[in-house]
Tab-separated table of all heavy atoms in Angstrom:
chain	number	residue	atom	x	y	z
A	686	GLY	N	-4.112	-14.840	-1.761
A	686	GLY	CA	-3.515	-14.080	-2.849
A	686	GLY	C	-4.490	-13.526	-3.853
A	686	GLY	O	-4.206	-12.532	-4.527
A	687	ASP	N	-5.670	-14.149	-3.990
A	687	ASP	CA	-6.629	-13.678	-4.988
A	687	ASP	C	-7.521	-12.555	-4.458
A	687	ASP	O	-8.399	-12.079	-5.166
A	687	ASP	CB	-7.493	-14.832	-5.498
A	687	ASP	CG	-8.306	-15.509	-4.395
A	687	ASP	OD1	-8.087	-15.163	-3.204
A	687	ASP	OD2	-9.140	-16.364	-4.714
A	688	SER	N	-7.308	-12.125	-3.219
A	688	SER	CA	-8.060	-10.994	-2.672
A	688	SER	C	-7.344	-9.708	-3.063
A	688	SER	O	-6.238	-9.444	-2.600
A	688	SER	CB	-8.157	-11.088	-1.143
A	688	SER	OG	-9.078	-12.075	-0.761
A	689	ASP	N	-7.968	-8.932	-3.929
A	689	ASP	CA	-7.327	-7.706	-4.411
A	689	ASP	C	-8.384	-6.622	-4.580
A	689	ASP	O	-8.631	-6.142	-5.674
A	689	ASP	CB	-6.604	-7.971	-5.728
A	689	ASP	CG	-5.738	-6.788	-6.154
A	689	ASP	OD1	-5.274	-6.042	-5.271
A	689	ASP	OD2	-5.551	-6.607	-7.365
A	690	ILE	N	-9.015	-6.267	-3.485
A	690	ILE	CA	-10.032	-5.225	-3.482
A	690	ILE	C	-9.363	-3.909	-3.143
A	690	ILE	O	-8.600	-3.820	-2.171
A	690	ILE	CB	-11.140	-5.545	-2.461
A	690	ILE	CG1	-11.814	-6.881	-2.830
A	690	ILE	CG2	-12.175	-4.423	-2.410
A	690	ILE	CD1	-12.787	-7.378	-1.775
A	691	ILE	N	-9.615	-2.884	-3.930
A	691	ILE	CA	-8.993	-1.584	-3.692
A	691	ILE	C	-9.412	-1.055	-2.326
A	691	ILE	O	-10.594	-0.976	-2.011
A	691	ILE	CB	-9.380	-0.577	-4.788
A	691	ILE	CG1	-8.852	-1.039	-6.148
A	691	ILE	CG2	-8.819	0.807	-4.457
A	691	ILE	CD1	-9.351	-0.194	-7.316
A	692	SER	N	-8.425	-0.697	-1.515
A	692	SER	CA	-8.702	-0.163	-0.183
A	692	SER	C	-7.544	0.719	0.245
A	692	SER	O	-6.413	0.567	-0.244
A	692	SER	CB	-8.875	-1.299	0.838
A	692	SER	OG	-7.640	-1.979	1.040
A	693	ILE	N	-7.806	1.644	1.163
A	693	ILE	CA	-6.744	2.502	1.677
A	693	ILE	C	-5.694	1.655	2.401
A	693	ILE	O	-4.487	1.892	2.280
A	693	ILE	CB	-7.324	3.587	2.596
A	693	ILE	CG1	-8.147	4.575	1.751
A	693	ILE	CG2	-6.218	4.329	3.344
A	693	ILE	CD1	-8.820	5.661	2.544
A	694	ALA	N	-6.152	0.644	3.158
A	694	ALA	CA	-5.214	-0.222	3.867
A	694	ALA	C	-4.316	-0.976	2.885
A	694	ALA	O	-3.113	-1.138	3.116
A	694	ALA	CB	-5.972	-1.200	4.747
A	695	GLY	N	-4.898	-1.451	1.796
A	695	GLY	CA	-4.114	-2.155	0.787
A	695	GLY	C	-3.105	-1.254	0.115
A	695	GLY	O	-1.946	-1.636	-0.115
A	696	ILE	N	-3.529	-0.031	-0.221
A	696	ILE	CA	-2.615	0.936	-0.833
A	696	ILE	C	-1.483	1.270	0.128
A	696	ILE	O	-0.319	1.333	-0.251
A	696	ILE	CB	-3.388	2.208	-1.242
A	696	ILE	CG1	-4.404	1.881	-2.346
A	696	ILE	CG2	-2.417	3.292	-1.716
A	696	ILE	CD1	-5.403	2.987	-2.617
A	697	GLU	N	-1.829	1.469	1.409
A	697	GLU	CA	-0.812	1.814	2.404
A	697	GLU	C	0.232	0.714	2.542
A	697	GLU	O	1.421	0.988	2.715
A	697	GLU	CB	-1.455	2.081	3.757
A	697	GLU	CG	-0.440	2.458	4.829
A	697	GLU	CD	-1.059	2.729	6.181
A	697	GLU	OE1	-2.263	2.473	6.350
A	697	GLU	OE2	-0.328	3.198	7.068
A	698	SER	N	-0.207	-0.537	2.477
A	698	SER	CA	0.738	-1.639	2.670
A	698	SER	C	1.834	-1.620	1.615
A	698	SER	O	2.975	-2.010	1.885
A	698	SER	CB	-0.002	-2.988	2.639
A	698	SER	OG	-0.475	-3.282	1.339
A	699	TYR	N	1.525	-1.152	0.412
A	699	TYR	CA	2.540	-1.058	-0.636
A	699	TYR	C	3.274	0.276	-0.607
A	699	TYR	O	4.478	0.333	-0.880
A	699	TYR	CB	1.899	-1.288	-2.008
A	699	TYR	CG	1.495	-2.721	-2.236
A	699	TYR	CD1	0.169	-3.117	-2.134
A	699	TYR	CD2	2.446	-3.703	-2.527
A	699	TYR	CE1	-0.208	-4.447	-2.308
A	699	TYR	CE2	2.086	-5.024	-2.713
A	699	TYR	CZ	0.755	-5.389	-2.607
A	699	TYR	OH	0.393	-6.699	-2.782
A	700	LEU	N	2.564	1.361	-0.258
A	700	LEU	CA	3.236	2.653	-0.149
A	700	LEU	C	4.326	2.607	0.914
A	700	LEU	O	5.374	3.245	0.778
A	700	LEU	CB	2.226	3.750	0.215
A	700	LEU	CG	1.526	4.480	-0.929
A	700	LEU	CD1	0.539	5.496	-0.377
A	700	LEU	CD2	2.529	5.166	-1.853
A	701	SER	N	4.070	1.845	1.983
A	701	SER	CA	5.044	1.770	3.071
A	701	SER	C	6.331	1.076	2.642
A	701	SER	O	7.359	1.183	3.313
A	701	SER	CB	4.448	1.028	4.275
A	701	SER	OG	4.156	-0.324	3.945
A	702	GLN	N	6.279	0.375	1.503
A	702	GLN	CA	7.474	-0.288	0.987
A	702	GLN	C	8.241	0.586	-0.002
A	702	GLN	O	9.313	0.200	-0.472
A	702	GLN	CB	7.077	-1.603	0.308
A	702	GLN	CG	6.387	-2.587	1.241
A	702	GLN	CD	5.811	-3.784	0.502
A	702	GLN	OE1	6.304	-4.185	-0.538
A	702	GLN	NE2	4.759	-4.363	1.050
A	703	CYS	N	7.680	1.750	-0.336
A	703	CYS	CA	8.332	2.659	-1.284
A	703	CYS	C	9.434	3.443	-0.569
A	703	CYS	O	9.190	4.075	0.452
A	703	CYS	CB	7.316	3.627	-1.881
A	703	CYS	SG	6.048	2.825	-2.895
A	704	THR	N	10.621	3.415	-1.123
A	704	THR	CA	11.759	4.038	-0.444
A	704	THR	C	11.774	5.553	-0.610
A	704	THR	O	12.467	6.240	0.144
A	704	THR	CB	13.077	3.466	-0.998
A	704	THR	OG1	13.129	3.680	-2.420
A	704	THR	CG2	13.190	1.993	-0.710
A	705	THR	N	11.033	6.112	-1.562
A	705	THR	CA	11.118	7.555	-1.818
A	705	THR	C	10.185	8.365	-0.927
A	705	THR	O	10.242	9.586	-0.920
A	705	THR	CB	10.773	7.855	-3.295
A	705	THR	OG1	9.454	7.383	-3.590
A	705	THR	CG2	11.765	7.185	-4.226
A	706	LEU	N	9.303	7.692	-0.179
A	706	LEU	CA	8.332	8.404	0.640
A	706	LEU	C	8.563	8.118	2.123
A	706	LEU	O	8.756	6.977	2.524
A	706	LEU	CB	6.907	8.004	0.266
A	706	LEU	CG	6.454	8.335	-1.151
A	706	LEU	CD1	5.071	7.759	-1.409
A	706	LEU	CD2	6.448	9.834	-1.387
A	707	GLY	N	8.491	9.165	2.938
A	707	GLY	CA	8.569	8.999	4.381
A	707	GLY	C	7.194	8.784	4.978
A	707	GLY	O	6.175	8.875	4.290
A	708	ASP	N	7.147	8.490	6.269
A	708	ASP	CA	5.875	8.226	6.948
A	708	ASP	C	4.923	9.413	6.838
A	708	ASP	O	3.718	9.234	6.633
A	708	ASP	CB	6.119	7.899	8.425
A	708	ASP	CG	6.794	6.545	8.612
A	708	ASP	OD1	6.778	5.743	7.658
A	708	ASP	OD2	7.332	6.302	9.711
A	709	ALA	N	5.456	10.633	6.997
A	709	ALA	CA	4.599	11.830	6.918
A	709	ALA	C	4.013	11.985	5.520
A	709	ALA	O	2.836	12.349	5.370
A	709	ALA	CB	5.398	13.077	7.307
């Protein structure tokens, strides 16, 4: 839980949970 390094993979993991955005 204490690993919080900014990364595209990390951002994607949360963006994928956003209901307003589609995969594209």
Side-chain angles (χ1 to χ4, degrees):
D687 60 353
S688 285
D689 189 28
I690 300 172
I691 297 172
S692 68
I693 291 178
I696 295 168
E697 181 180 9
S698 69
Y699 288 103
L700 270 178
S701 64
Q702 300 171 28
C703 295
T704 57
T705 59
L706 297 175
D708 290 343

